[in-house]
Amino acid sequence: MNRKLVEELQRIVGEDGICLEEPMSRHTTFGVGGPADVMIWPDEEELPQALRLCRQWGEPFCIIGNGSNLLVGDGGIRGVVIGLRRGHEVLRAEGDVLTAGAGVLLPRAAQFAAQHGLSGLEFAAGIPGTAGGAVVMNAGAYGGEMKDVIGSVTVLDTDGTRRHLTCAQLDLGYRRSSVQKQDCIVTEVRLKLVKGDPDAIRSRMEELTEKRREKQPLEYPSAGSTFKRPKGYFAGKLIMDAGLRGFRIGGAQISEKHCGFVINRGGATAQEIRTLMSEVSAKVERQFGVRLEPEVKMIGEF
């Protein structure tokens, strides 16, 4: 990467806001992924400057939050990785509206809502992603989805222009949003919740947390549900019925606890995980005629 660009990025975010050859295994819940050429952590004011600089130099960039739905290749990522955590963690409640910065972790937002007697976000208490990523993917669990609670979002175009989008404009569907097709970044989300009893809200969150603990392999690194739910089926059930419970390639394995999860048993590579996903998908299609599509987003060089 051009040294001058690196110097300019460092001038924007400071020495503590930039790293060269940063291992992406440190920034994904799978715990795998090679180095990014450059990774920066701009705050809200620095982000537009960094985006304009990347555009000016024609340098590719990508955005990550908590890395909870990513599989980064072992060869790493060329260009600039922009982490949206530092400086993007505002949380405030006004009436029945909760505003969360893109870098706020969903469990923290759910706890904050409970503290303020706001119901509707209980389903998100155990989702390890950020608020921004949850909007982009329309994250959901246990019958709830982000589309149920989003009022509006603020996005930043890559030229630095800020816009507000309503929930309708986001065109939210199963694990998708219009943001995925637009050249913009979610920076803030406003959630329309409902006034409720804090104790009842916490009780529901604890109930869902216990369900997760019982049914999901939380003791291993993973990216959550690995495949999208096929219409009329459940991915985990198809995988189990195909005889693939515990199927393993290197350090990558189909969880024995929940077949919808690919886990890193230790020392897995991104290639092993991708190969396992491909073989599982192919076997399920051969046996049942159903094609499993990855819910996990794959980026970087494999």
Side-chain angles (χ1 to χ4, degrees), residues 1-11 18 20 38 53 57 59:
M1 179 174 291
N2 189 288
R3 182 178 179 82
K4 180 65 174 174
L5 172 57
V6 173
E7 291 175 352
E8 287 294 304
L9 287 171
Q10 183 173 323
R11 179 186 59 78
I18 184 170
L20 306 183
V38 175
L53 192 61
W57 284 84
E59 192 67 38

Side-chain angles (χ1 to χ4, degrees), residues 25 37 39 90 116-117 120 145 152 193 268:
S25 56
D37 289 344
M39 186 167 184
V90 62
H116 288 79
E145 291 182 301
S152 64
L193 303 177

Side-chain angles (χ1 to χ4, degrees), residues 242 244 247 278-292:
L244 294 169
F247 176 57
S278 178
E279 292 195 15
V280 166
S281 182
K283 185 166 184 180
V284 166
E285 186 170 26
R286 284 196 302 270
Q287 288 195 221
F288 305 111
V290 179
R291 185 69 181 176
L292 295 179

Side-chain angles (χ1 to χ4, degrees), residues 15-301:
E15 290 187 9
D16 63 341
I18 184 170
C19 282
L20 306 183
E21 298 297 317
E22 177 69 6
M24 295 308 296
S25 56
R26 298 176 181 172
H27 305 284
T28 61
T29 56
F30 253 137
V32 302
D37 289 344
V38 175
M39 186 167 184
I40 60 173
W41 293 269
D43 62 23
E44 190 173 355
E45 292 184 3
E46 296 162 349
L47 178 58
Q49 302 175 59
L51 291 173
R52 283 192 289 266
L53 192 61
C54 288
R55 281 171 57 99
Q56 176 186 329
W57 284 84
E59 192 67 38
F61 62 88
C62 65
I63 308 293
I64 73 164
N66 196 43
S68 58
N69 203 44
L70 289 180
L71 178 60
V72 178
D74 301 308
I77 300 175
R78 306 288 71 79
V80 180
V81 173
I82 300 174
L84 288 192
R85 289 293 302 278
R86 191 191 76 174
H88 298 269
E89 297 181 305
V90 62
L91 264 178
R92 62 178 179 272
E94 299 168 293
D96 59 1
V97 175
L98 187 151
T99 300
V104 174
L105 288 174
L106 285 179
R108 182 176 168 225
Q111 290 288 349
F112 186 83
Q115 290 167 12
H116 288 79
L118 295 174
S119 177
L121 202 57
E122 291 90 332
F123 73 89
I127 298 176
T130 58
V135 172
V136 174
M137 291 297 295
N138 185 30
Y142 295 109
E145 291 182 301
M146 291 299 291
K147 71 179 179 63
D148 301 328
V149 293
I150 291 174
S152 64
V153 302
T154 300
V155 299
L156 183 68
D157 292 329
T158 55
D159 64 0
T161 303
R162 293 190 188 277
R163 294 184 288 131
H164 298 291
L165 299 176
T166 64
C167 186
Q169 289 173 313
L170 290 170
D171 189 27
L172 297 166
Y174 178 63
R175 301 301 175 263
R176 66 167 176 81
S177 72
S178 63
V179 177
Q180 296 168 344
K181 301 176 182 178
Q182 297 185 46
D183 201 17
C184 65
I185 300 159
V186 174
T187 59
E188 192 173 80
V189 57
R190 284 162 292 283
L191 304 173
K192 188 75 167 62
L193 303 177
V194 179
K195 287 289 187 178
D197 175 59
D199 290 337
I201 295 169
R202 290 192 188 94
S203 177
R204 176 59 175 161
M205 287 167 56
E206 289 170 4
E207 177 188 341
L208 295 181
T209 297
E210 185 57 32
K211 281 186 178 182
R212 283 181 181 276
R213 194 176 294 117
E214 289 176 1
K215 297 181 179 181
Q216 298 181 9
L218 303 181
E219 64 272 28
Y220 293 104
S222 77
S225 296
T226 308
F227 298 97
K228 293 180 181 178
R229 185 178 65 244
K231 190 173 182 179
Y233 299 90
F234 291 97
K237 179 75 162 54
L238 288 169
I239 294 168
M240 180 178 67
D241 290 347
L244 294 169
R245 181 189 295 275
F247 176 57
R248 184 169 180 171
I249 295 178
Q253 183 182 37
I254 293 294
S255 168
E256 296 173 301
K257 192 173 187 180
H258 189 314
C259 290
F261 285 63
V262 172
I263 59 174
N264 179 354
R265 284 296 300 258
T269 65
Q271 186 58 55
E272 288 171 345
I273 293 171
R274 189 168 78 159
T275 299
L276 183 144
M277 290 173 61
S278 178
E279 292 195 15
V280 166
S281 182
K283 185 166 184 180
V284 166
E285 186 170 26
R286 284 196 302 270
Q287 288 195 221
F288 305 111
V290 179
R291 185 69 181 176
L292 295 179
E293 296 183 13
E295 183 170 318
V296 175
K297 183 180 178 182
M298 302 184 196
I299 60 174
E301 297 181 350

